[in-house]
Amino acid sequence: MRLDYPTSLKGLLQELERLPGIGPKSALRIALFLINQPKDVIDRLIQALQRVKDQLKLCIRCFNYAENKLCSICQDEQRDISLLCVVEDPMDIAVIENAGTYRGLYHVLHGVISPIEGIGPEDLRIKELIERLQVEPIKEVILALSPTSEGEATNIYIARLVKPLGIKVTQLAMGIPVGGSIDYTDQLTIMRALEGRREML
Amino acid sequence: MRLDYPTSLKGLLQELERLPGIGPKSALRIALFLINQPKDVIDRLIQALQRVKDQLKLCIRCFNYAENKLCSICQDEQRDISLLCVVEDPMDIAVIENAGTYRGLYHVLHGVISPIEGIGPEDLRIKELIERLQVEPIKEVILALSPTSEGEATNIYIARLVKPLGIKVTQLAMGIPVGGSIDYTDQLTIMRALEGRREML
């Protein structure tokens, strides 16, 4: 049921409903909120959208989000340029950075190999990764893809390309999450946690 | 926890989080969706917002949403100009119109009297309602405010002003909703339904 709203309101509802997680009711709620607020609220939203559209690009080196040619991490001269962490998308960088211990560089694949979704290695930034490894003084590539079957396949694919270059390839440890409980942990995670067990010193 | 995103992305997240029902996670999901879509998706959203901001006004006569001086209902010469339905906000008009039986005009108060929220009669379009009744050939005012204590108080306030003008004042029937069940109906509604009972012919 689409009621007889003014054209401009109908148009806004249509655009809002395209957004993920926004159905007709939330779209109406958001639209009415924006209509009933002082005009500068809608203006600020328009400007924020415009700014993201105009300014947010991908770093030409690591394909992280960037507002200049290089992202803030690639511009940072304090980073350890011998370490390269490979991630699936730019949001993963934010999560790893937030943990606060990694000081190396990144490379964003923008996806993982997924034959079902028709995503092959040529659709990802893998060629650019290999090019970087040939010119940058990188000693270790840390694979930090999600531990799914697609992530694992991508790990193996990249490892096969990188090892012949004489560069060490590692992968994030899999196991029980900190604060997780054993009885709610799935079989595969338990298997990985057992495989990766460490001697207590 | 606010991760270290580029400034423009942070700005967009901030604006999105102001919207009702949008928390940090949905804001991020929407922002990433917009970033990863072709640029015309974000453009269409910007244009829709701009259009609502520029074009959506209030009808100078009934205070419904309008894109011209008068709303589409006030412009419609087929309407019964002797009937005036008083509603709380423009969305109520859409609901009543959708029912398809009412052919009169409307008047939007933009709220109800609520001492708790500090909303008095002077904050609503009540003065404008009385002015209309003095110049328009209206024979009946139908009060269609929500049956809450604030709605009821507003009904009584308006009825006291309108009756001395020799205009009939009615109010929407209260009772069991169609398809509703008696055993899930609250006491007050049952009381109103008994008061308003009709003889079966």
mmCIF file of all heavy atoms in Angstrom, chain A residues 14-37:
data_model
loop_
_atom_site.group_PDB
_atom_site.id
_atom_site.type_symbol
_atom_site.label_atom_id
_atom_site.label_comp_id
_atom_site.label_asym_id
_atom_site.label_seq_id
_atom_site.Cartn_x
_atom_site.Cartn_y
_atom_site.Cartn_z
ATOM 1 N N GLN A 14 11.373 6.264 -1.910
ATOM 2 C CA GLN A 14 11.887 5.268 -2.857
ATOM 3 C C GLN A 14 13.407 5.103 -2.707
ATOM 4 O O GLN A 14 13.915 3.990 -2.662
ATOM 5 C CB GLN A 14 11.565 5.762 -4.263
ATOM 6 C CG GLN A 14 11.445 4.703 -5.296
ATOM 7 C CD GLN A 14 10.891 5.296 -6.587
ATOM 8 O OE1 GLN A 14 11.357 6.341 -7.047
ATOM 9 N NE2 GLN A 14 9.928 4.621 -7.180
ATOM 10 N N GLU A 15 14.115 6.226 -2.605
ATOM 11 C CA GLU A 15 15.578 6.156 -2.478
ATOM 12 C C GLU A 15 15.974 5.565 -1.125
ATOM 13 O O GLU A 15 16.918 4.778 -1.041
ATOM 14 C CB GLU A 15 16.214 7.532 -2.663
ATOM 15 C CG GLU A 15 16.074 8.110 -4.062
ATOM 16 C CD GLU A 15 16.517 7.151 -5.150
ATOM 17 O OE1 GLU A 15 17.547 6.468 -4.970
ATOM 18 O OE2 GLU A 15 15.817 7.064 -6.182
ATOM 19 N N LEU A 16 15.265 5.955 -0.059
ATOM 20 C CA LEU A 16 15.613 5.446 1.266
ATOM 21 C C LEU A 16 15.391 3.934 1.344
ATOM 22 O O LEU A 16 16.165 3.220 1.977
ATOM 23 C CB LEU A 16 14.781 6.153 2.346
ATOM 24 C CG LEU A 16 15.135 7.621 2.617
ATOM 25 C CD1 LEU A 16 14.133 8.241 3.579
ATOM 26 C CD2 LEU A 16 16.546 7.765 3.176
ATOM 27 N N GLU A 17 14.330 3.463 0.663
ATOM 28 C CA GLU A 17 14.023 2.033 0.725
ATOM 29 C C GLU A 17 15.061 1.174 0.003
ATOM 30 O O GLU A 17 15.108 -0.030 0.197
ATOM 31 C CB GLU A 17 12.628 1.761 0.148
ATOM 32 C CG GLU A 17 11.528 2.152 1.115
ATOM 33 C CD GLU A 17 10.143 2.024 0.504
ATOM 34 O OE1 GLU A 17 9.942 1.161 -0.372
ATOM 35 O OE2 GLU A 17 9.257 2.812 0.897
ATOM 36 N N ARG A 18 15.889 1.801 -0.849
ATOM 37 C CA ARG A 18 16.974 1.057 -1.500
ATOM 38 C C ARG A 18 18.081 0.693 -0.523
ATOM 39 O O ARG A 18 18.884 -0.198 -0.779
ATOM 40 C CB ARG A 18 17.648 1.933 -2.565
ATOM 41 C CG ARG A 18 16.937 1.989 -3.870
ATOM 42 C CD ARG A 18 17.788 2.817 -4.838
ATOM 43 N NE ARG A 18 16.928 3.653 -5.629
ATOM 44 C CZ ARG A 18 16.241 3.212 -6.690
ATOM 45 N NH1 ARG A 18 16.366 1.962 -7.070
ATOM 46 N NH2 ARG A 18 15.447 4.006 -7.359
ATOM 47 N N LEU A 19 18.173 1.451 0.579
ATOM 48 C CA LEU A 19 19.294 1.261 1.506
ATOM 49 C C LEU A 19 19.122 -0.051 2.272
ATOM 50 O O LEU A 19 18.006 -0.473 2.548
ATOM 51 C CB LEU A 19 19.362 2.439 2.486
ATOM 52 C CG LEU A 19 19.514 3.809 1.827
ATOM 53 C CD1 LEU A 19 19.505 4.901 2.885
ATOM 54 C CD2 LEU A 19 20.790 3.885 1.004
ATOM 55 N N PRO A 20 20.226 -0.698 2.622
ATOM 56 C CA PRO A 20 20.120 -1.980 3.316
ATOM 57 C C PRO A 20 19.495 -1.803 4.701
ATOM 58 O O PRO A 20 19.842 -0.870 5.422
ATOM 59 C CB PRO A 20 21.575 -2.455 3.421
ATOM 60 C CG PRO A 20 22.390 -1.220 3.309
ATOM 61 C CD PRO A 20 21.625 -0.262 2.441
ATOM 62 N N GLY A 21 18.564 -2.684 5.041
ATOM 63 C CA GLY A 21 17.954 -2.653 6.364
ATOM 64 C C GLY A 21 16.851 -1.616 6.516
ATOM 65 O O GLY A 21 16.310 -1.449 7.596
ATOM 66 N N ILE A 22 16.519 -0.899 5.435
ATOM 67 C CA ILE A 22 15.481 0.131 5.511
ATOM 68 C C ILE A 22 14.256 -0.340 4.728
ATOM 69 O O ILE A 22 14.308 -0.454 3.504
ATOM 70 C CB ILE A 22 15.978 1.469 4.920
ATOM 71 C CG1 ILE A 22 17.286 1.929 5.572
ATOM 72 C CG2 ILE A 22 14.897 2.549 5.041
ATOM 73 C CD1 ILE A 22 17.161 2.388 6.990
ATOM 74 N N GLY A 23 13.164 -0.618 5.448
ATOM 75 C CA GLY A 23 11.912 -1.000 4.799
ATOM 76 C C GLY A 23 11.007 0.217 4.668
ATOM 77 O O GLY A 23 11.406 1.321 5.040
ATOM 78 N N PRO A 24 9.781 0.037 4.171
ATOM 79 C CA PRO A 24 8.865 1.165 3.984
ATOM 80 C C PRO A 24 8.617 1.949 5.272
ATOM 81 O O PRO A 24 8.589 3.171 5.259
ATOM 82 C CB PRO A 24 7.573 0.505 3.500
ATOM 83 C CG PRO A 24 8.003 -0.796 2.903
ATOM 84 C CD PRO A 24 9.204 -1.231 3.683
ATOM 85 N N LYS A 25 8.484 1.240 6.408
ATOM 86 C CA LYS A 25 8.179 1.954 7.658
ATOM 87 C C LYS A 25 9.351 2.792 8.144
ATOM 88 O O LYS A 25 9.173 3.924 8.566
ATOM 89 C CB LYS A 25 7.764 0.957 8.745
ATOM 90 C CG LYS A 25 6.367 0.433 8.496
ATOM 91 C CD LYS A 25 5.713 -0.019 9.779
ATOM 92 C CE LYS A 25 4.274 -0.403 9.487
ATOM 93 N NZ LYS A 25 3.630 -1.047 10.627
ATOM 94 N N SER A 26 10.572 2.223 8.098
ATOM 95 C CA SER A 26 11.726 3.022 8.541
ATOM 96 C C SER A 26 11.968 4.173 7.578
ATOM 97 O O SER A 26 12.374 5.258 7.994
ATOM 98 C CB SER A 26 13.015 2.206 8.648
ATOM 99 O OG SER A 26 12.796 0.847 8.643
ATOM 100 N N ALA A 27 11.726 3.934 6.269
ATOM 101 C CA ALA A 27 11.929 5.006 5.281
ATOM 102 C C ALA A 27 11.007 6.181 5.604
ATOM 103 O O ALA A 27 11.446 7.338 5.635
ATOM 104 C CB ALA A 27 11.665 4.485 3.874
ATOM 105 N N LEU A 28 9.751 5.867 5.917
ATOM 106 C CA LEU A 28 8.782 6.920 6.238
ATOM 107 C C LEU A 28 9.200 7.656 7.509
ATOM 108 O O LEU A 28 9.164 8.885 7.577
ATOM 109 C CB LEU A 28 7.388 6.306 6.407
ATOM 110 C CG LEU A 28 6.247 7.301 6.625
ATOM 111 C CD1 LEU A 28 6.172 8.286 5.477
ATOM 112 C CD2 LEU A 28 4.919 6.574 6.755
ATOM 113 N N ARG A 29 9.661 6.875 8.499
ATOM 114 C CA ARG A 29 10.070 7.475 9.764
ATOM 115 C C ARG A 29 11.247 8.433 9.551
ATOM 116 O O ARG A 29 11.281 9.534 10.110
ATOM 117 C CB ARG A 29 10.490 6.338 10.703
ATOM 118 C CG ARG A 29 10.376 6.681 12.151
ATOM 119 C CD ARG A 29 10.439 5.411 12.972
ATOM 120 N NE ARG A 29 11.150 5.662 14.206
ATOM 121 C CZ ARG A 29 11.957 4.801 14.793
ATOM 122 N NH1 ARG A 29 12.172 3.609 14.261
ATOM 123 N NH2 ARG A 29 12.559 5.117 15.916
ATOM 124 N N ILE A 30 12.213 7.999 8.743
ATOM 125 C CA ILE A 30 13.389 8.832 8.472
ATOM 126 C C ILE A 30 12.983 10.072 7.676
ATOM 127 O O ILE A 30 13.411 11.188 7.976
ATOM 128 C CB ILE A 30 14.468 8.017 7.727
ATOM 129 C CG1 ILE A 30 15.035 6.933 8.657
ATOM 130 C CG2 ILE A 30 15.577 8.920 7.199
ATOM 131 C CD1 ILE A 30 15.941 5.935 7.964
ATOM 132 N N ALA A 31 12.135 9.873 6.655
ATOM 133 C CA ALA A 31 11.718 11.004 5.814
ATOM 134 C C ALA A 31 10.985 12.049 6.658
ATOM 135 O O ALA A 31 11.278 13.249 6.568
ATOM 136 C CB ALA A 31 10.837 10.523 4.667
ATOM 137 N N LEU A 32 10.047 11.591 7.501
ATOM 138 C CA LEU A 32 9.296 12.541 8.330
ATOM 139 C C LEU A 32 10.210 13.261 9.305
ATOM 140 O O LEU A 32 10.066 14.450 9.546
ATOM 141 C CB LEU A 32 8.186 11.813 9.102
ATOM 142 C CG LEU A 32 7.064 11.288 8.229
ATOM 143 C CD1 LEU A 32 5.982 10.649 9.083
ATOM 144 C CD2 LEU A 32 6.466 12.408 7.387
ATOM 145 N N PHE A 33 11.163 12.508 9.865
ATOM 146 C CA PHE A 33 12.143 13.121 10.758
ATOM 147 C C PHE A 33 12.870 14.264 10.039
ATOM 148 O O PHE A 33 12.966 15.379 10.544
ATOM 149 C CB PHE A 33 13.143 12.053 11.220
ATOM 150 C CG PHE A 33 14.328 12.592 11.958
ATOM 151 C CD1 PHE A 33 14.255 12.848 13.321
ATOM 152 C CD2 PHE A 33 15.526 12.828 11.303
ATOM 153 C CE1 PHE A 33 15.357 13.340 14.006
ATOM 154 C CE2 PHE A 33 16.629 13.317 11.986
ATOM 155 C CZ PHE A 33 16.543 13.576 13.349
ATOM 156 N N LEU A 34 13.337 13.965 8.813
ATOM 157 C CA LEU A 34 14.100 14.970 8.065
ATOM 158 C C LEU A 34 13.233 16.170 7.705
ATOM 159 O O LEU A 34 13.679 17.316 7.759
ATOM 160 C CB LEU A 34 14.686 14.356 6.790
ATOM 161 C CG LEU A 34 15.830 13.361 7.031
ATOM 162 C CD1 LEU A 34 16.181 12.618 5.750
ATOM 163 C CD2 LEU A 34 17.063 14.090 7.571
ATOM 164 N N ILE A 35 11.951 15.905 7.367
ATOM 165 C CA ILE A 35 11.048 16.998 6.990
ATOM 166 C C ILE A 35 10.768 17.896 8.192
ATOM 167 O O ILE A 35 10.692 19.112 8.067
ATOM 168 C CB ILE A 35 9.726 16.419 6.437
ATOM 169 C CG1 ILE A 35 9.988 15.746 5.088
ATOM 170 C CG2 ILE A 35 8.664 17.503 6.305
ATOM 171 C CD1 ILE A 35 8.848 14.861 4.621
ATOM 172 N N ASN A 36 10.650 17.283 9.358
ATOM 173 C CA ASN A 36 10.252 18.051 10.533
ATOM 174 C C ASN A 36 11.411 18.713 11.272
ATOM 175 O O ASN A 36 11.189 19.501 12.179
ATOM 176 C CB ASN A 36 9.455 17.160 11.487
ATOM 177 C CG ASN A 36 8.103 16.797 10.895
ATOM 178 O OD1 ASN A 36 7.438 17.638 10.305
ATOM 179 N ND2 ASN A 36 7.704 15.553 11.023
ATOM 180 N N GLN A 37 12.647 18.365 10.889
ATOM 181 C CA GLN A 37 13.798 19.008 11.519
ATOM 182 C C GLN A 37 14.079 20.341 10.832
ATOM 183 O O GLN A 37 13.634 20.568 9.708
ATOM 184 C CB GLN A 37 15.049 18.122 11.344
ATOM 185 C CG GLN A 37 15.003 16.828 12.113
ATOM 186 C CD GLN A 37 15.093 17.035 13.602
ATOM 187 O OE1 GLN A 37 15.995 17.690 14.076
ATOM 188 N NE2 GLN A 37 14.134 16.501 14.340
#
